[in-house]
Amino acid sequence: MKIIRFGEAGKEKPGVQLANGKRLDVSGFESDYTEDFFANDGISKLNTWLSSNEENCEEIGENVRLGSPIARPSKIVCVGLNYAKHAAESGMDVPKEPILFFKATSAIVGPNDDLIIPRGSKKTDWEVELGVVIGKKTSYVDEAEAMDYVVGYVLHNDYSEREFQIERSGQWVKGKSCDTFAPLGPFLATKDEIKDPHNLDLWLKLNGEIKQQSNTSDFVFNIPQLVSYISQFMTLLPGDIISTGTPFGVGMGLNPQRYLKPGDLVELGIDGLGTSKQTARAYKK
């Protein structure tokens, strides 16, 4: 199943995307895609409801805005330097344990919403990433059981302000959490939709030019390892997102370095998870 949320920002409604690409309004199911939805086997219940109610669901127009397919999760846990070539371009060693940092959920926007370059930013950068969505509450889970707690996957652009992140001391979260820095979607694809999450091509273009192109087979730490590792330090709740890191080709790693400016168009995609695009805009009060 592919689930979507659509409509005006802050007033999104739940929907689904069918195999034929048609998008349906499932507001009649009377549940948004929240922590409670995932915790209470919402995907199975929605599938059952849809089998009896699909004909009564209104089709969503192609020009209707998409929001994040997950209503505000409790947290976004990001993994740094999880592709060896990205570690090299960043001038850092491949980590011996996963590098973890948080991204504020207030950064979440829809997949095609504008990127707002923060006030005072000089080094806003792009990062295409595979997001893993947790389906059941867990802590201290073993690697062998970790995938049982994954409900699906989502496309994520982990925008980063490198000066805020690296040059201004403290933790990385400052450079990761600016408003609009977490476009998610276009949809959440449930586990059964993705045959092998460790063999997915992912790419990103800047103004039509490929900047990132890799495959999740290049992970330093795979998904069961990440879910298990993170659960040793915090409880993972339904709807939480683990963003699994970005491959080489970010602006910081180019020679000369290249950062986003107003008017730039960023397009990205992952096999089976669709595509998204964001136009960079300058911050305005």
Side-chain angles (χ1 to χ4, degrees), residues 1-4 43 69 131 133 150-155 185-194 271-274:
M1 176 174 279
K2 295 182 177 72
I3 63 172
I4 62 173
I43 293 290
V133 184
V150 172
V151 70
Y153 307 97
V154 66
L155 174 64
F187 51 76
L188 179 155
T190 51
K191 257 193 317 190
D192 57 294
E193 295 271 349
I194 303 298
D271 285 350
L273 295 176

Side-chain angles (χ1 to χ4, degrees), residues 128-224:
V128 59
E129 303 201 6
L130 172 66
V132 176
V133 184
I134 299 299
K136 297 187 290 184
K137 181 178 179 180
T138 185
S139 57
Y140 301 111
V141 67
D142 293 333
E143 286 182 28
E145 300 174 346
M147 293 302 290
D148 294 340
Y149 293 87
V150 172
V151 70
Y153 307 97
V154 66
L155 174 64
H156 175 216
N157 196 344
D158 176 24
Y159 281 112
S160 308
E161 212 298 341
R162 302 303 188 186
E163 184 184 31
F164 298 175
Q165 176 190 355
I166 298 170
E167 300 174 30
R168 295 185 58 178
S169 302
Q171 298 183 346
W172 288 4
V173 65
K174 294 199 304 290
K176 297 286 186 171
S177 295
C178 304
D179 291 349
T180 75
F181 269 29
L184 296 173
F187 51 76
L188 179 155
T190 51
K191 257 193 317 190
D192 57 294
E193 295 271 349
I194 303 298
K195 183 178 180 181
D196 182 3
H198 298 102
N199 185 25
L200 299 176
D201 288 335
L202 66 171
W203 56 269
L204 182 143
K205 295 179 182 179
L206 174 61
N207 299 327
E209 180 182 354
I210 283 283
K211 293 297 184 185
Q212 293 185 277
Q213 192 164 29
S214 189
N215 187 282
T216 56
S217 61
D218 289 334
F219 280 158
V220 176
F221 302 102
N222 66 29
I223 294 168

Side-chain angles (χ1 to χ4, degrees), residues 48-264:
T48 299
W49 179 90
L50 196 61
S51 65
S52 302
N53 293 276
E54 180 177 333
E55 292 183 359
N56 300 321
C57 295
E58 291 187 11
E59 188 169 353
I60 302 165
E62 292 184 4
N63 295 324
V64 174
R65 173 189 175 271
L66 293 178
S68 163
I70 307 152
R72 188 71 61 82
S74 82
K75 53 189 170 289
I76 305 173
V77 186
C78 298
V79 183
L81 307 179
N82 199 34
Y83 290 76
K85 289 182 180 179
H86 176 52
E89 73 174 352
S90 301
M92 301 178 188
D93 294 332
V94 173
K96 296 179 181 178
E97 293 188 36
I99 295 173
L100 305 182
F101 58 90
F102 283 112
K103 194 175 189 85
T105 57
S106 55
I108 294 174
V109 290
N112 303 310
D113 289 346
D114 288 344
L115 165 72
I116 305 303
I117 298 174
R119 183 171 66 181
S121 169
K122 299 176 182 177
K123 297 182 178 181
T124 294
D125 205 347
W126 56 83
E127 296 190 14
V128 59
E129 303 201 6
L130 172 66
V132 176
V133 184
I134 299 299
K136 297 187 290 184
K137 181 178 179 180
T138 185
S139 57
Y140 301 111
V141 67
D142 293 333
E143 286 182 28
E145 300 174 346
M147 293 302 290
D148 294 340
Y149 293 87
V150 172
V151 70
Y153 307 97
V154 66
L155 174 64
H156 175 216
N157 196 344
D158 176 24
Y159 281 112
S160 308
E161 212 298 341
R162 302 303 188 186
E163 184 184 31
F164 298 175
Q165 176 190 355
I166 298 170
E167 300 174 30
R168 295 185 58 178
S169 302
Q171 298 183 346
W172 288 4
V173 65
K174 294 199 304 290
K176 297 286 186 171
S177 295
C178 304
D179 291 349
T180 75
F181 269 29
L184 296 173
F187 51 76
L188 179 155
T190 51
K191 257 193 317 190
D192 57 294
E193 295 271 349
I194 303 298
K195 183 178 180 181
D196 182 3
H198 298 102
N199 185 25
L200 299 176
D201 288 335
L202 66 171
W203 56 269
L204 182 143
K205 295 179 182 179
L206 174 61
N207 299 327
E209 180 182 354
I210 283 283
K211 293 297 184 185
Q212 293 185 277
Q213 192 164 29
S214 189
N215 187 282
T216 56
S217 61
D218 289 334
F219 280 158
V220 176
F221 302 102
N222 66 29
I223 294 168
Q225 289 172 323
L226 292 175
V227 173
S228 176
Y229 182 85
I230 294 167
S231 78
Q232 309 305 309
F233 303 100
M234 67 194 79
T235 296
L236 291 169
L237 297 176
D240 282 355
I241 298 164
I242 297 172
S243 201
T244 55
T246 199
F248 68 95
V250 299
M252 179 177 65
L254 300 178
N255 186 16
Q257 293 180 339
R258 166 73 158 91
Y259 296 107
L260 293 169
K261 60 183 184 299
D264 282 341

